[in-house]
Amino acid sequence: MTSTTTTSTMNNDDSAEGMASSPRTHHNNNNNNDWQKQLNIILNQRRGVLNFKDYKVTEEHVKRMKQLADTFPQVFDNPSSTPRSKWFDHPKYSMNMQMPNFHVHFRQEMQSVLSYLNKAHQNAKNGKDAQYPTKSALRMLQGSMEGLHGHVHIEERAYFPIFQNRYHQIDFQFLYEDHKHLHETEAKLVRALYDLVTTKNATTGNSNAKLLEEEQLVATIQLAL
């Protein structure tokens, strides 16, 4: 995780002088442009708002919500009758502890991790110290994940059992599986930060999508309670 190691890694992609016609070099340049563009989009997002919209859910989640809406339309008619933008003015929203309120800072912290990593990458390219921003990213990530573990503990031992008891026809095991996926993603990112500075957003992007998917499903239930 030193500046020297990072600079060497980045120069392997940038030192293609005399090889401009190489398909491999062209492919690498395209990949670099793609992740840099995605990173810039994330770093400019307003992640401090409750009605956060800059995300893309998985196909699995879309199918799941459709199946639930077909089976239990009195609860899961969202988003046709109660889209995300209308959750916060719903008369029942303030009657329960809602997940979006607690997910805001996790999105912001993941954005900060990427900001530190971007700083490390830029420093390495310019021959400056990349170690300090890398360590800052790691500290931010570890602190955020400690908070996330506590958050998950509350959800799995308080919220999810209530939902299961209320709607016993639905198997809510997928919520626990999503948390398992989050923990596995977290572990991979922590290991990566120990070994290499990376600014690609795939890992944190998946975590962010899972938070939003969980919000959509759980908020829908709570507005119906």
Side-chain angles (χ1 to χ4, degrees):
M1 275 176 48
T2 64
S3 175
T4 303
T5 301
T6 307
T7 303
S8 174
T9 302
M10 297 305 172
N11 283 344
N12 285 338
D13 289 334
D14 296 337
S15 61
E17 184 176 357
M19 299 175 60
S21 61
S22 167
R24 182 176 180 180
T25 302
H26 181 69
H27 178 69
N28 285 340
N29 288 337
N30 284 341
N31 285 342
N32 286 341
N33 291 335
D34 287 345
W35 69 251
Q36 187 67 60
K37 182 185 294 186
Q38 292 175 331
L39 176 64
N40 290 337
I41 290 173
I42 290 175
L43 294 181
N44 285 295
Q45 289 174 347
R46 294 178 60 246
R47 292 195 165 196
V49 298
L50 280 177
N51 188 22
F52 182 72
K53 301 177 181 179
D54 296 320
Y55 68 96
K56 181 179 180 180
V57 299
T58 61
E59 287 296 325
E60 180 183 7
H61 175 73
V62 173
K63 293 178 181 178
R64 179 188 297 158
M65 292 300 292
K66 185 180 185 305
Q67 290 172 350
L68 289 171
D70 291 341
T71 308
F72 304 99
Q74 69 276 21
V75 177
F76 293 103
D77 58 355
N78 181 288
S80 61
S81 66
T82 313
R84 181 183 182 88
S85 60
K86 294 184 178 180
W87 289 356
F88 313 103
D89 295 324
H90 193 284
K92 291 188 177 181
Y93 187 85
S94 61
M95 295 172 62
N96 295 292
M97 298 290 285
Q98 301 291 346
M99 288 187 176
N101 306 60
F102 296 97
H103 286 173
V104 169
H105 70 91
F106 291 124
R107 286 197 293 268
Q108 292 176 307
E109 288 159 4
M110 287 188 284
Q111 186 181 47
S112 294
V113 169
L114 287 175
S115 180
Y116 281 126
L117 291 177
N118 185 48
K119 179 66 174 178
H121 172 53
Q122 297 302 325
N123 281 2
K125 286 179 63 178
N126 295 311
K128 299 180 181 179
D129 174 48
Q131 190 174 32
Y132 180 78
T134 302
K135 288 183 177 180
S136 297
L138 183 58
R139 284 194 296 269
M140 172 65 72
L141 177 65
Q142 289 175 322
S144 181
M145 292 304 98
E146 287 178 8
L148 184 62
H149 291 169
H151 178 74
V152 165
H153 181 86
I154 293 172
E155 288 180 341
E156 293 186 345
R157 287 159 180 76
Y159 281 81
F160 297 171
I162 292 175
F163 304 152
Q164 190 65 76
N165 290 335
R166 179 68 180 270
Y167 302 102
H168 54 84
Q169 309 97 318
I170 304 173
D171 183 3
F172 286 99
Q173 184 60 35
F174 60 83
L175 289 173
Y176 298 90
E177 293 299 322
D178 283 349
H179 280 170
K180 180 181 178 182
H181 172 75
L182 277 176
H183 292 320
E184 292 171 351
T185 301
E186 167 206 338
K188 290 178 182 178
L189 182 55
V190 170
R191 285 197 299 268
L193 282 180
Y194 276 121
D195 299 329
L196 179 69
V197 173
T198 173
T199 53
K200 294 183 179 180
N201 75 315
T203 305
T204 55
N206 289 340
S207 300
N208 185 54
K210 288 300 178 184
L211 290 177
L212 271 296
E213 290 177 4
E214 184 180 68
E215 287 176 10
Q216 185 178 17
L217 187 136
V218 172
T220 302
I221 294 174
Q222 297 202 130
L223 296 183
L225 289 176

